[in-house]
């Protein structure tokens, strides 16, 4: 069933209730916000999406799938994080990184240390903690994209 929500990027927008993802623990720093909607970017070729808080129009995170700019991203998270979104299989998950866009957008970074994982079947999400020491809180997206394209990816 459709419902209208207020979003930061696009104002009033109709969504399907199936787009609502439950984050029982919220997102780091916003643990009181439990429901988010994943919205595609207006620009059809863009790898970026919005993670919009359902009841807080001003709270929306820009997110990107790490594989869209890294080529390869290994999701290494605890069993606890997997169970929190109702699965034991990491390959069923949608994995996103929260993007920070500073005044100079070409310096934007993605947080690969705290990936957002979503179980699309159960509509459950969580900000997990990467157990891999390869990933940091601020990966420069454009630099990583350059590396990937130079490597022939």
């Amino acid at each position: 069933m459709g419902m209208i929500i207020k979003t930061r990027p696009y104002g009033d927008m109709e969504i399907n209730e199936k787009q609502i993802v439950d984050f029982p623990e919220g997102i780091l720093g916003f643990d009181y916000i439990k429901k988010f909607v994943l919205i595609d970017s207006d620009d059809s070729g863009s790898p970026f999406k919005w993670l919009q808080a359902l009841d807080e129009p001003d709270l929306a995170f820009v997110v990107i799938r790490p594989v869209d700019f890294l080529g390869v991203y290994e999701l290494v998270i605890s069993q606890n994080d997997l169970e929190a979104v109702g699965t034991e299989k990491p390959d069923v998950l949608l994995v996103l990184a929260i993007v920070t866009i500073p005044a100079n957008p070409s310096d934007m970074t993605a947080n690969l240390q705290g990936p957002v994982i979503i179980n699309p079947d159960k509509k459950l999400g969580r900000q997990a903690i990467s157990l891999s020491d390869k990933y940091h809180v601020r990966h420069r997206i454009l630099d990583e994209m350059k590396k990937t394209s130079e490597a022939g990816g």
Side-chain angles (χ1 to χ4, degrees):
M1 213 175 89
M3 59 189 280
I4 301 286
I5 64 165
K6 292 191 179 312
T7 70
R8 195 177 94 197
Y10 306 119
D12 286 3
M13 179 177 196
E14 185 171 354
I15 61 151
N16 185 316
E17 281 177 15
K18 291 183 176 147
Q19 286 174 267
I20 300 172
V21 179
D22 216 347
F23 280 76
E25 326 244 312
I27 295 250
L28 205 62
F30 301 94
D31 50 352
Y32 55 95
I33 295 181
K34 309 295 188 196
K35 293 194 180 300
F36 287 86
V37 180
L38 194 60
I39 302 170
D40 285 330
S41 162
D42 256 2
D43 171 4
S44 61
S46 169
F48 297 100
K49 295 180 184 301
W50 290 88
L51 193 61
Q52 170 71 52
L54 188 63
D55 302 316
E56 296 279 340
D58 291 338
L59 183 65
F61 298 100
V62 175
V63 292
I64 187 172
R65 294 182 332 160
V67 293
D68 284 341
F69 68 92
L70 268 186
V72 176
Y73 175 72
E74 289 170 54
L75 183 67
V76 185
I77 56 175
S78 71
Q79 197 60 34
N80 195 11
D81 281 338
L82 287 172
E83 284 166 10
V85 293
T87 185
E88 290 179 3
K89 301 186 176 104
D91 51 352
V92 303
L93 299 175
L94 174 61
V95 180
L96 301 164
I98 293 178
V99 176
T100 301
I101 303 176
N104 176 356
S106 65
D107 289 335
M108 68 181 148
T109 59
N111 176 355
L112 299 181
Q113 184 61 58
V116 172
I117 55 173
I118 294 175
N119 180 336
D121 298 333
K122 302 213 165 142
K123 304 286 179 247
L124 273 174
R126 176 182 177 99
Q127 186 167 15
I129 303 294
S130 172
L131 303 177
S132 165
D133 53 11
K134 236 184 350 195
Y135 303 117
H136 315 289
V137 175
R138 299 190 184 281
H139 277 264
R140 291 171 57 97
I141 293 175
L142 297 177
D143 291 355
E144 298 287 357
M145 281 179 160
K146 267 189 216 135
K147 279 188 217 163
T148 306
S149 65
E150 283 162 11

